[in-house]
Amino acid sequence: MSRIGACFDELGRKEQGALVVFTVAGHPTPALSSELLVAIAEAGADIIELGIPFSDPLADGPAIQAASQRALAEHMTPARVLELAAGFRAARDVPLVLMTCYNPVYQFGLEEFAEASAGAGVDGVIVTDLPPEEADDWAGIARKRGIDTIFLLSPNSPAARVKKVVDLAGGFVYCVSRLGVTGARPELPTDLAQLVARIRGETTKPIAVGFGVSRPEHVAEVCRVADGAVVGSAVVSLIDRQAGSAGPAEAVGAFVRELKAATRSERVTKPDPL
Amino acid sequence: MPAEMASRSQGPSILEGSHFGRFGGIFVPETIMPPLLEVAEAYGSARRDPEFGKRLEALLRDYVGRPTPLYFCGRLTEHCGGAKIYLKREDLCHTGSHKLNNAVGQALLAQRMGRTKLMAETGAGQHGVAAATVAALFDMECDIYMGEEDVRRQALNVYRMRLLDAQVIEVTSGSRTLKDAINEAFRVWMATAETTYYLFGTAAGPHPYPTMVRDFQSVVGREARQQILEQEGRLPDCLVACVGGGSNAIGLFHPFLEDDVRMMGVEAAGRGLRTGEHAASLTAGSEGVLHGARTKILQTAEGQIRTTHSVAAGLDYPGVGPEHALLQNTGRAEYVGATDEEALDAFEMLNRLEGIMPALESAHAVAHAMRVAAESHQEAVVLVNLSGRGDKDVGEVQRVLAERTP
């Protein structure tokens, strides 16, 4: 079983949700980024998503766009992201997922990227603009290297797509909480439970909810219905605000601890799959 | 790979025409997939509906002003001293460019799908004006996304869009040009697709846009083919069109694909291909994935999208429609560049010799057509798509020429 699968299994036994934390590789600087990864793991993140910065991300809101631009200005490349990943893997055992747009992977070479990712101890890859219709090449290559390809589902995905996506999904199913780009929002959508239930009806694979999940109370709410919560923009914005301070890792660690604590509260038993 | 694509997933009808050899496709985030597939399905059903075809035909005739003339440029031909040069006068379409052909077709589709609002990206503002125009015609709201840099250099079109009651939203991310306007439009559409139809302006982007926009623009080539047969009694030797995203070029080329006619697409060579300051995705780019399609793009070795330059805002784009990438790969069409300087010279020349003011985009095609004509014998025929008129560019031309004169 993959490190991601084992992680969800263990959390399930402990009746906890998974806290998935996203940061942009190289943000605010490559050195700080490396330090932050360890701090986020130390603070209790169950899975870390590391974003490969891309110049033109279609699914990202202003916070992650700006962080990506900043990382690119620091000359962050996919090769250096993989070095960062390998450095993290040498220090910590927490499952690591790379999140990227397709073109940087395509230019790296699919085979080469899968090989280098496996070599760096990466457990899963999310390619945000690679829907199942276009994913055969990559998914096959990744599978051979033992890398989970994680697919997204959205509130507007019709039933037939839900079925298709969960069948292909490796690691976990990434459920986008609402229509639109990434970004912190004051409240979660009211129909989240139905959305998760709709996916749950088609699969026993773990479901993590992201997009707009930005506060401990959101994480608690998400973990009542899903297997994990993904917090991205809120962490990225905090890193931005703390970038100039002496110890951004401390503030980010404190926030992650709060988020993780929320995964332990009010956990209800996972409903039986249909 | 493309053959496999058609046989699986959503079924052949929705993904029909989604790939052009290895190019094209539908590389988008999941949230945009359902709305795109809905557009693809609606377009598939519309194109089989004779009533839709009739309504489109009537609007093209009575509102757009089609057919546009095919005009023989006597003085320009004499000046070049070679092939006869004909212009397909898309500049005489209502709103001043070929963009309205596509806007009218997609607005009909939006109405058929029950949408009440249109959104569009624009570079030079020609597509923005066309979208705002059909929004007025169909009584729909309209938001236009336009890079801040383009808002500055195409001020006239910005004002026209506002007169048409469209909202022009300035995009300040990235290079603040067409690429960034497209990014922003897709980001907004992710959250608004239930009510809003995204009226994409060129034959690029994800399926079904490359196919649908080509189909709506093919009226240009169909008319031109018939007109040149009437006027010359034969097919032209060479077609020339400028290529940004590539909609006017594919519209002209497509009906001639089976004919023994040379096809040349002219990209923006900007300050010169060697300077790196250009927008020549086909002649100087490499294969990659941008805005939902696998095509030729301008990028770094690590796959980041390069910023581009052209004096013509409508060509200032680091990608190109996937069908052009295929036509280049198979050798069926040739792609070359014209620099800012060459386009400006052609702009002046067409004004002086024919009393026609081309858009700076179209001036790139004229520049190359003059080169081709000069190298051809006098019986040869070169047919140029004059995709738009240049009123919008007068201010920018004045500024650039003033800088150029020592």
Side-chain angles (χ1 to χ4, degrees), chain A residues 2-91:
Chain A
S2 75
R3 207 183 260 123
I4 296 171
C7 168
F8 276 102
D9 273 3
E10 194 193 328
L11 290 168
R13 279 195 296 276
K14 292 199 268 185
E15 301 205 337
Q16 284 178 25
L19 175 67
V20 185
V21 174
F22 169 90
T23 64
V24 174
H27 172 245
T29 65
L32 273 174
S33 180
S34 168
E35 198 181 308
L36 284 165
L37 284 183
V38 173
I40 288 166
E42 284 287 279
D46 299 300
I47 296 174
I48 293 181
E49 277 179 25
L50 189 57
I52 299 179
F54 179 56
S55 54
D56 296 78
L58 279 192
D60 281 320
I64 296 176
Q65 279 178 50
S68 300
Q69 288 301 330
R70 200 159 164 184
L72 288 173
E74 295 278 343
H75 310 292
M76 208 60 202
T77 62
R80 294 184 70 194
V81 176
L82 288 161
E83 284 170 25
L84 199 63
F88 173 77
R89 178 54 72 233

Side-chain angles (χ1 to χ4, degrees), chain B residues 96-119:
Chain B
S97 83
H98 74 291
K99 291 292 187 190
L100 195 59
N101 302 325
N102 169 54
V104 163
Q106 287 199 52
L108 272 178
L109 186 66
Q111 194 184 47
R112 187 184 169 96
M113 293 174 72
R115 298 298 189 268
T116 53
K117 182 170 176 176
L118 299 178
M119 62 181 293

Side-chain angles (χ1 to χ4, degrees), chain A residues 245-265:
Chain A
S245 76
E250 206 168 298
V252 172
F255 182 51
V256 171
R257 266 189 297 278
E258 270 185 77
L259 295 171
K260 179 54 203 173
T263 67
R264 298 187 187 103
S265 60

Side-chain angles (χ1 to χ4, degrees), chain A residues 192-216:
Chain A
L192 185 64
Q194 288 124 280
L195 173 61
V196 174
R198 202 153 68 82
I199 300 171
R200 191 81 83 192
E202 299 290 346
T203 186
T204 54
K205 291 175 185 170
I207 300 169
V209 175
F211 283 46
V213 181
S214 44
R215 300 172 179 184

Side-chain angles (χ1 to χ4, degrees), chain A residues 20-274:
Chain A
V20 185
V21 174
F22 169 90
T23 64
V24 174
H27 172 245
T29 65
L32 273 174
S33 180
S34 168
E35 198 181 308
L36 284 165
L37 284 183
V38 173
I40 288 166
E42 284 287 279
D46 299 300
I47 296 174
I48 293 181
E49 277 179 25
L50 189 57
I52 299 179
F54 179 56
S55 54
D56 296 78
L58 279 192
D60 281 320
I64 296 176
Q65 279 178 50
S68 300
Q69 288 301 330
R70 200 159 164 184
L72 288 173
E74 295 278 343
H75 310 292
M76 208 60 202
T77 62
R80 294 184 70 194
V81 176
L82 288 161
E83 284 170 25
L84 199 63
F88 173 77
R89 178 54 72 233
R92 291 291 180 282
D93 236 3
V94 175
L96 187 63
V97 172
L98 295 180
M99 190 159 184
T100 178
C101 289
Y102 192 42
N103 199 49
V105 175
Y106 193 64
Q107 298 313 317
F108 200 96
L110 303 186
E111 291 280 2
E112 292 81 355
F113 188 77
E115 187 185 347
S117 297
V122 168
D123 306 291
V125 171
I126 305 173
V127 189
T128 51
D129 55 352
L130 197 66
E133 282 77 359
E134 302 288 356
D136 280 5
D137 292 356
W138 163 254
I141 289 166
R143 204 174 303 121
K144 269 185 263 161
R145 298 280 176 186
I147 290 176
D148 289 327
T149 300
I150 294 152
F151 288 95
L152 289 87
L153 275 169
S154 174
N156 58 353
S157 306
R161 284 193 71 74
V162 172
K163 181 88 181 77
K164 175 166 35 177
V165 170
V166 299
D167 284 350
L168 278 172
F172 59 92
V173 178
Y174 192 133
C175 170
V176 174
S177 74
R178 65 173 78 230
L179 302 177
V181 293
T182 57
R185 286 182 180 81
E187 281 162 16
L188 291 177
T190 51
D191 55 357
L192 185 64
Q194 288 124 280
L195 173 61
V196 174
R198 202 153 68 82
I199 300 171
R200 191 81 83 192
E202 299 290 346
T203 186
T204 54
K205 291 175 185 170
I207 300 169
V209 175
F211 283 46
V213 181
S214 44
R215 300 172 179 184
E217 53 269 36
H218 295 166
V219 171
E221 201 180 326
V222 164
C223 289
R224 249 171 255 147
V225 294
D227 306 298
V230 188
V231 182
S233 296
V235 172
V236 168
S237 296
L238 178 63
I239 293 172
D240 263 329
R241 288 197 300 276
Q242 295 289 328
S245 76
E250 206 168 298
V252 172
F255 182 51
V256 171
R257 266 189 297 278
E258 270 185 77
L259 295 171
K260 179 54 203 173
T263 67
R264 298 187 187 103
S265 60
E266 304 175 71
R267 176 89 177 133
V268 295
T269 316
K270 183 166 155 179
D272 284 330
L274 297 179

Side-chain angles (χ1 to χ4, degrees), chain B residues 35-54:
Chain B
L36 280 175
L37 294 176
E38 197 187 341
V39 172
E41 192 170 24
Y43 176 60
S45 117
R47 69 191 295 191
R48 288 187 299 273
D49 178 1
E51 203 49 46
F52 182 87
K54 270 185 212 159

